[in-house]
Amino acid sequence: MLPQFSYVRPETLKDTVKHLSAGGAAIHAGGTDLLGCLRDGIMDVDKVVSLSALHDLRGVKETADGGLIIGALTTITEVSENPMILKKYPCLAQGASEVASPQLRNQGTLGGNLCQKPRCWYYRGEFNCLRKGGDICYALGGEHQFHAIFGHDRICIITHPSDTAPPLAALAAKVRTMGPDGKRTLPVETFHVLPRKNPQVETVLKPGEVITYIELPRPAGNMRSSYRKVRARRSWDFALAGAAIALEMDGDRVIDGRVVLSGAAPVPWRAQSVENAIRGKTLDDATIKRAAQAVAEGADPLPENTYKLDLFKGVIEEELNAVR
Ligand SMILES: Cc1cc2nc3c(=O)[nH]c(=O)nc-3n(C[C@H](O)[C@H](O)[C@H](O)COP(=O)(O)OP(=O)(O)OC[C@H]3O[C@@H](n4cnc5c(N)ncnc54)[C@H](O)[C@@H]3O)c2cc1C
Ligand code: SF4
């Protein structure tokens, strides 16, 4: 059952921040994750602050220097179908089209997708685990076949759930925010928080701070990008293993680029070992094989999720073949 809370729908960002800064408040964008969290008792809130009257935060605009600005309230369906995103940043359109089901993509927003809570079954259940303020991680000694193999430090082994964050990080996108201390602009890559820094928060957002826009830089003319996600069920499911790849190419040679994994770590996980294996190289079969092997560097799989190493090797091999 949903707990009792008051509901406000401010018409300006200033009022939104004011309501949020009073404490005990949560943002409602599309509500597809928030309402489930409230029903499951994951969050304790007195007030729900709807962003739905902030019409300026919807839509996609081209910037003067050839980049894009996407409003935080733009739906995931719009992100997956926008012609400029499809043409210039295909990995983002592909990531958005892999989110949940059509109904959830129509209702869910890009800002909400970046801030959604983790899907660990202990966290979503009745366990007062470390992330909820308790003392231990139940998944470490329990069921962890879908959990992280990188970056968890055996503290909290969630996988970051968003399918849009890895492509945004691969594209060097930035998040713009507004809060009680004013505006900030941060790389998406630094927006999510590793358990070693704080196992009880998922993002660097401060109390009262709202994502307003996502900025995408102008892509290099010879940029090729792609997102691939492997999941247990075809209908809808979170990533078991996935990769967003954005490469600046000169013919079939990689000048530079980013590879960011999903279903891998508590944050979108930059696979620098793969980037190092392909930078400056021709994307031939031998390079692709070496890069696929390199993805396992630094992994710390647990007894039930070692299979993910092979999944990631396969995903990297397929993706590099797809962009060459
Ligand atoms: C059955 C199911 C399957 C799913 N499968 C996938 C999947 O495969 N891949 C995937 O990526 N996602 C998946 N999701 C998650 C879904 O994408 C999110 O629920 C959705 O993107 C959240 O968007 P929203 O606008 O509804 O956010 P809300 O539910 O409104 O908010 C989510 C969280 O973000 C905060 N928030 C929202 N907007 C902002 C903002 N502008 N600034 C700061 N904080 C904000 C809220 O306070 C809340 O904590 C699934 C969800 C469900 C229910
Ligand atoms: S993985 Fe994280 S969220 Fe899941 S039980 Fe462990 S501490 Fe809790």
Side-chain angles (χ1 to χ4, degrees):
M1 215 169 67
L2 274 176
Q4 287 208 329
F5 49 79
S6 62
Y7 176 84
V8 288
R9 190 170 175 264
E11 297 197 347
T12 63
L13 253 177
K14 200 170 155 208
D15 283 349
T16 304
V17 171
K18 207 153 106 191
H19 279 293
L20 290 169
S21 305
I27 294 173
H28 179 286
T32 59
D33 186 41
L34 178 76
L35 295 180
C37 290
L38 293 179
R39 209 177 32 237
D40 295 343
I42 289 170
M43 295 176 192
D44 211 9
V45 304
D46 315 319
K47 193 194 280 181
V48 167
V49 182
S50 168
L51 303 185
S52 61
L54 304 178
H55 303 297
D56 286 354
L57 302 193
R58 291 179 203 282
V60 182
K61 287 191 199 109
E62 203 159 14
T63 58
D65 62 357
L68 284 189
I69 297 283
I70 310 178
L73 289 186
T74 308
T75 67
I76 295 163
T77 298
E78 285 173 81
V79 173
S80 70
E81 293 178 352
N82 181 277
M84 288 183 286
I85 297 178
L86 280 162
K87 185 170 168 218
K88 291 162 73 167
Y89 311 95
C91 65
L92 177 58
Q94 286 160 0
S97 72
E98 292 281 354
V99 170
S101 62
Q103 294 87 343
L104 287 159
R105 292 196 290 275
N106 287 340
Q107 178 69 18
T109 64
L110 187 59
N113 192 255
L114 293 180
C115 298
Q116 60 178 301
K117 292 285 177 185
R119 286 279 157 183
C120 170
W121 34 49
Y122 297 102
Y123 176 81
R124 295 267 169 171
E126 286 169 7
F127 295 80
N128 189 34
C129 71
L130 185 67
R131 187 161 289 274
K132 288 204 292 208
D135 297 328
I136 64 165
C137 169
Y138 290 93
L140 264 173
E143 298 275 332
H144 52 242
Q145 56 269 44
F146 296 157
H147 286 70
I149 62 169
F150 293 100
H152 51 68
D153 294 314
R154 302 203 174 207
I155 299 170
C156 162
I157 55 173
I158 55 159
T159 51
H160 174 72
S162 164
D163 283 311
T164 61
L168 287 170
L171 293 165
K174 292 186 176 157
V175 173
R176 284 193 201 165
T177 70
M178 169 78 157
D181 302 328
K183 296 179 181 173
R184 290 201 288 166
T185 302
L186 323 152
V188 169
E189 205 190 339
T190 60
F191 182 69
H192 297 99
V193 176
L194 279 167
R196 74 178 76 116
K197 289 215 173 125
N198 184 344
Q200 281 155 11
V201 300
E202 289 78 40
T203 72
V204 296
L205 286 178
K206 297 179 187 161
E209 202 171 8
V210 187
I211 299 183
T212 49
Y213 299 95
I214 316 295
E215 277 180 31
L216 281 158
R218 184 173 66 87
N222 41 9
M223 165 86 76
R224 290 184 217 156
S225 80
S226 180
Y227 179 68
R228 163 112 167 94
K229 166 182 177 183
V230 177
R231 49 183 154 177
R233 285 179 297 187
R234 187 61 213 149
S235 52
W236 64 261
D237 218 337
F238 293 86
L240 284 179
I245 294 188
L247 304 181
E248 194 184 341
M249 304 288 292
D250 176 10
D252 57 1
R253 197 175 68 86
V254 178
I255 300 173
D256 206 354
R258 291 186 179 196
V259 177
V260 184
L261 308 180
S262 58
V267 301
W269 189 252
R270 188 112 179 244
Q272 282 172 341
S273 53
V274 177
E275 295 171 8
N276 293 339
I278 58 177
R279 187 175 300 109
K281 305 265 172 36
T282 299
L283 269 191
D284 53 22
D285 290 349
T287 302
I288 290 177
K289 282 257 178 288
R290 267 198 302 276
Q293 292 302 316
V295 75
E297 275 175 33
D300 181 14
L302 295 151
E304 291 180 34
N305 66 10
T306 310
Y307 73 95
K308 283 198 176 192
L309 288 173
D310 285 336
L311 273 187
F312 278 110
K313 287 178 193 168
V315 166
I316 293 296
E317 191 170 335
E318 267 190 27
E319 278 297 86
L320 290 175
N321 273 306
V323 295
R324 73 168 161 171

